[in-house]
Amino acid sequence: MYRFFEQLGARIAAPFVSQQQHPDRVWQCQCGQSVFFRNSQCLACQSALGYWPSGNRVASLLPGPAEGLWLLDGEPEAGPLRRCANLDTPAACNWLLAEHEPDNLCLACRLNRTIPDLGIAENQPRWRKLETAKRRLTAQLLHLGLPVEPKSAEGGPGLAFDFIGVDHEGNAPITGHANGLITLDVREADDDWRERVRVQLHEPYRTLLGHLRHEVGHYYWDRLIADSHWLDGFRDLFGDERESYSEALERHYQQGAPSDWAAAHVSAYATMHPWEDWAETWAHYLHMTDALDTALALGMNASSLELDFPPFTREDLYRPDDPGAKEFLAFINAWVELSAMLNELSRSMGQVDFYPFVLGKPVVAKLHFIHLRVNQPTPPIRDQADVELP
């Protein structure tokens, strides 16, 4: 099992642990000021800050051996580092890359194939919001041990993003995924536009990060499930992906989701097609692991609350006899408790629920399937023509 989940499970089981012992989300500048994932400069002492993906931390930057090179405070093994070339653009990237990397852009920024037209004034803040969400997604994927490789200019395998707007003919881009390329309408960065679409589509939740987590789920279905021995298990849980996607899409938007959709799906949209069920459930797995990790790092724990929720048990899992079943159940049940607490906090502020979803037993089995696959070693990326069927 990948080390991230081992650490997460230990922290769920442990009593309150201070953030100084587990600084996974709150780090300290050299002056002692708390700094966070998005920071590129300390607001207290003005020190330069950077995010080091290999160490999954934000730290102060000290002058390096030459101009343009930096050393990471407290991390001598990191060696000389450079700041991403997108630091001084509207993207405001705070990531670092090794001295001898051939590109001036960090890994997260190298995933871009198309950025918004910055000649349009409103696209500059849009791009910053898009990149902020994409950097968080990329960091999480790396932290989970998932393969993240930029798609080459010639195409082929790998991951890439197109952040585009309405074209000169007035045609809006279609948000989606195709062969590792994720396209997102830049208007999703506008709160008013995104909220209007959310209401029109009767969605309980719609965010930039949620979009990216959903769409990257399609990419990882291709990487982790297609043409693998996991495909039969996928079909048992999610359905047969060979069903016509276009017909399923038309049926969904004409008839809507079945009235009993919540019995076996995490969202209404998940009922549309097995691929969408996977992508929706995948996105929720990323939501849950990231939010619970953050909560624990901040010392938040709902286990002491008297919440009358029957816990999920081994019988609810995809593989009840899995050796890691106990740790996964602790994770799921801790999430139910935490989300209930955070929902109440949101309501006390007059806001919508933090997590407006209910997890049924079939959804927990699907989450467990995804968890097991995420924590299996993944072979190096290969061209589709080189993939051997099992």
Side-chain angles (χ1 to χ4, degrees):
M1 183 180 296
Y2 193 68
R3 191 174 175 220
F4 163 76
F5 203 83
E6 290 181 344
Q7 294 174 338
L8 187 65
R11 290 159 60 197
I12 292 171
F16 172 78
V17 180
S18 72
Q19 65 188 40
Q20 284 74 25
Q21 291 175 275
H22 290 287
D24 296 329
R25 296 295 172 155
V26 183
W27 299 274
Q28 285 189 331
C29 172
Q30 59 185 351
C31 72
Q33 173 73 24
S34 294
V35 295
F36 301 88
F37 180 74
R38 297 166 58 169
N39 294 151
S40 60
Q41 186 178 47
C42 176
L43 298 179
C45 71
Q46 311 306 309
S47 293
L49 305 172
Y51 174 73
W52 183 39
S54 298
N56 188 39
R57 61 168 300 198
V58 171
S60 305
L61 299 179
L62 308 174
E67 184 177 357
L69 296 180
W70 302 84
L71 299 176
L72 203 64
D73 183 38
E75 298 284 354
E77 67 275 15
L81 301 168
R82 290 181 288 128
R83 306 185 84 175
C84 178
N86 271 338
L87 171 66
D88 296 320
T89 71
C93 181
N94 68 337
W95 281 37
L96 302 166
L97 57 159
E99 174 186 10
H100 298 298
E101 288 193 42
D103 206 298
N104 289 325
L105 296 174
C106 70
L107 172 60
C109 289
R110 291 201 305 273
L111 297 175
N112 289 338
R113 191 182 80 159
T114 307
I115 67 169
D117 180 358
L118 300 182
I120 301 173
E122 54 264 35
N123 278 350
Q124 297 194 20
R126 285 170 171 168
W127 189 33
R128 177 170 296 200
K129 292 178 182 179
L130 289 161
E131 291 298 325
T132 298
K134 180 165 67 66
R135 287 194 293 270
R136 190 171 191 99
L137 169 72
T138 307
Q140 182 184 19
L141 297 175
L142 293 171
H143 200 33
L144 285 170
L146 289 164
V148 180
E149 297 108 349
K151 184 182 286 290
S152 68
E154 294 76 27
L159 184 61
F161 291 84
D162 277 353
F163 295 141
I164 53 181
V166 176
D167 65 20
H168 295 296
E169 286 73 40
N171 300 310
I174 298 177
T175 293
H177 165 269
N179 299 319
L181 176 63
I182 293 173
T183 302
L184 192 64
D185 188 336
V186 298
R187 293 178 297 176
E188 290 289 346
D190 297 338
D191 295 341
D192 56 345
W193 191 88
R194 189 176 62 252
E195 177 64 12
R196 184 164 62 250
V197 175
R198 187 194 68 79
V199 172
Q200 289 173 352
L201 297 180
H202 306 289
E203 296 175 340
Y205 171 91
R206 190 181 182 94
T207 66
L208 282 178
L209 186 55
H211 269 308
L212 296 180
R213 284 173 171 164
H214 173 99
E215 297 302 340
V216 86
H218 290 299
Y219 169 71
Y220 283 107
W221 189 90
D222 291 342
R223 290 292 310 271
L224 305 178
I225 303 299
D227 302 325
S228 78
H229 67 275
W230 293 84
L231 191 55
D232 288 340
F234 168 84
R235 289 171 178 166
D236 289 341
L237 284 177
F238 296 88
D240 193 335
E241 82 289 351
R242 292 170 293 189
E243 172 193 353
S244 170
Y245 185 88
S246 59
E247 292 178 6
L249 183 66
E250 182 178 3
R251 181 174 62 248
H252 178 79
Y253 282 111
Q254 286 185 353
Q255 302 175 11
S259 58
D260 62 345
W261 65 263
H265 298 84
V266 74
S267 70
Y269 188 65
T271 66
M272 197 270 279
H273 187 274
W275 279 335
E276 299 303 341
D277 193 7
W278 162 273
E280 285 287 272
T281 311
W282 172 277
H284 279 255
Y285 180 78
L286 297 188
H287 291 332
M288 295 157 66
T289 51
D290 195 19
L292 188 57
D293 183 33
T294 302
L296 291 171
L298 296 173
M300 299 176 66
N301 192 329
S303 61
S304 61
L305 300 179
E306 295 183 4
L307 299 174
D308 190 17
F309 295 128
F312 292 106
T313 65
R314 282 181 176 266
E315 289 66 34
D316 303 322
L317 302 183
Y318 171 65
R319 289 181 182 166
D321 58 347
D322 176 67
K326 180 179 178 181
E327 290 75 17
F328 181 79
L329 285 170
F331 158 68
I332 285 291
N333 291 321
W335 171 251
V336 171
E337 294 171 345
L338 177 69
S339 60
M341 179 179 73
L342 294 176
N343 282 345
E344 284 300 307
L345 286 172
S346 293
R347 293 163 191 164
S348 71
M349 290 293 292
Q351 297 290 330
V352 298
D353 282 0
F354 169 83
Y355 187 72
F357 303 94
V358 176
L359 301 179
K361 293 181 180 180
V363 174
V364 170
K366 294 173 184 178
L367 287 165
H368 190 224
F369 177 87
I370 289 174
H371 170 74
L372 291 175
R373 186 62 192 95
V374 165
N375 286 280
Q376 288 286 324
T378 304
I381 193 167
R382 292 181 291 174
D383 288 314
Q384 190 64 30
D386 296 334
V387 175
E388 298 178 1
L389 298 179

